[in-house]
């Protein structure tokens, strides 16, 4: 995925100055702090009330939705597929998701790639500055993307300094998704293998190898 139009150089320079002069973090290195914060953001994205709706739109809508790409990237990160997560976060960030751009900032900072980290932080700040205050939305119930015990476990792992992780059965579902890519782009998981209404962990479509009557949480 190409980068979106380059953020203002002044904003990138401001981000770099802020990073270099920031107060010490509570972890021993900037890389560890970035990994901790990225895990926390991923946990919050997966636990958001509209995460399931966003992923459904990504799978079933005629146009790819940035919110769904942001959620799918978080799912991939929680299964250890960091390159796939980066691909979908880049897509979401290029489509206007400030959260995805911030995930990319933390991802590159975790890897010690400070120039890319500063770029994506500047892009995230720019998207946030350009956001309009949304009007009131009708209140409606939406099924959670993950069961409550799984969400609690992910948050618990992050707060203990561990990477977010999905249960093995859900990892198996992600592992069975088709791959997409070409000669210029490494193959990454595609969400198209998820069927309509299958994005709730309580009712994932297990047609990709798990028996239909198996419990997806093991």
């Amino acid at each position: 995925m190409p980068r979106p139009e380059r953020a203002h150089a002044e904003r990138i320079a401001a981000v770099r100055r802020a990073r270099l002069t920031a107060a010490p973090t509570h972890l021993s290195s900037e890389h560890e702090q970035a990994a901790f914060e990225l895990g926390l953001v991923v946990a919050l994205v997966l636990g958001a009330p509209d995460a399931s709706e966003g992923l459904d739109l990504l799978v079933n809508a005629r146009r790819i939705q940035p919110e769904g790409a942001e959620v799918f990237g978080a799912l991939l990160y929680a299964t250890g597929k960091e390159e796939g997560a980066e691909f979908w976060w880049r897509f979401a960030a290029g489509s206007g998701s400030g959260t995805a751009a911030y995930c990319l900032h933390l991802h590159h900072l975790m890897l010690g790639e400070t120039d890319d980290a500063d770029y994506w932080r500047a892009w995230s700040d720019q998207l946030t500055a350009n956001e309009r205050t949304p009007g009131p939305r009708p209140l409606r119930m939406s099924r959670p993307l993950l069961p409550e015990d799984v969400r609690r476990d992910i948050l618990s792992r992050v707060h203990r300094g561990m990477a977010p992780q999905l249960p093995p059965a859900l990892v198996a579902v992600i592992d069975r998704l088709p791959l997409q890519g070409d000669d210029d782009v490494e193959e990454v998981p595609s969400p198209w293998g998820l069927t309509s209404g299958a994005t709730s962990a309580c009712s994932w479509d297990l047609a990709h190898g798990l028996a239909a009557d198996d419990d997806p949480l093991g």
Side-chain angles (χ1 to χ4, degrees):
M1 289 293 297
R3 289 188 179 190
E5 182 180 352
R6 187 161 182 81
H8 295 304
E10 295 83 359
R11 194 182 295 276
I12 296 175
V15 168
R16 184 166 296 133
R17 287 194 300 271
R19 177 173 53 79
L20 294 175
T21 59
T25 63
H26 74 279
L27 295 177
S28 59
S29 72
E30 186 177 59
H31 311 314
E32 290 177 301
Q33 181 68 23
F36 169 78
E37 292 184 16
L38 180 55
L40 184 58
V41 174
V42 164
L44 294 175
V45 167
L46 294 179
D50 56 354
S52 181
E53 179 184 358
L55 195 54
D56 273 336
L57 287 173
L58 174 66
V59 175
N60 301 307
R62 292 183 178 180
R63 296 178 59 233
I64 296 179
Q65 306 294 318
E67 297 85 357
E70 169 192 312
V71 174
F72 188 59
L75 279 173
L76 294 178
Y77 185 84
T79 58
K81 295 175 173 56
E82 294 186 10
E83 291 182 356
E86 181 182 355
F87 174 89
W88 286 101
W89 282 335
R90 285 171 69 93
F91 182 93
S95 300
S97 169
T99 299
Y102 190 69
C103 287
L104 288 167
H105 157 69
L106 294 172
H107 172 69
H108 287 291
L109 197 59
M110 180 179 67
L111 298 177
E113 299 166 351
T114 53
D115 287 346
D116 283 333
D118 292 342
Y119 169 82
W120 288 111
R121 176 58 187 268
W123 184 252
S124 176
D125 290 348
Q126 188 167 318
L127 289 173
T128 301
N130 293 338
E131 283 182 354
R132 297 179 179 178
T133 303
R137 299 180 60 184
L139 180 63
R140 60 181 178 181
M141 299 299 293
S142 177
R143 73 186 187 283
L145 179 66
L146 301 173
E148 179 63 26
D149 58 337
V150 175
R151 286 179 282 161
R152 285 199 306 266
D153 179 68
I154 291 175
L155 274 174
S156 176
R157 287 179 59 86
V158 170
H159 284 298
R160 297 199 309 269
M162 303 168 69
Q165 188 177 65
L166 295 177
L170 294 186
V171 174
V173 173
I174 298 295
D175 286 343
R176 289 175 173 81
L177 293 177
L179 301 178
Q180 65 178 39
D182 52 37
D183 294 337
D184 299 323
V185 179
E186 185 171 345
E187 290 188 332
V188 297
S190 163
W192 317 134
L194 299 175
T195 60
S196 177
T199 51
S200 169
C202 298
S203 59
W204 279 63
D205 185 343
L206 304 182
H208 295 279
L210 296 181
D213 56 351
D214 283 347
D215 179 0
L217 299 181

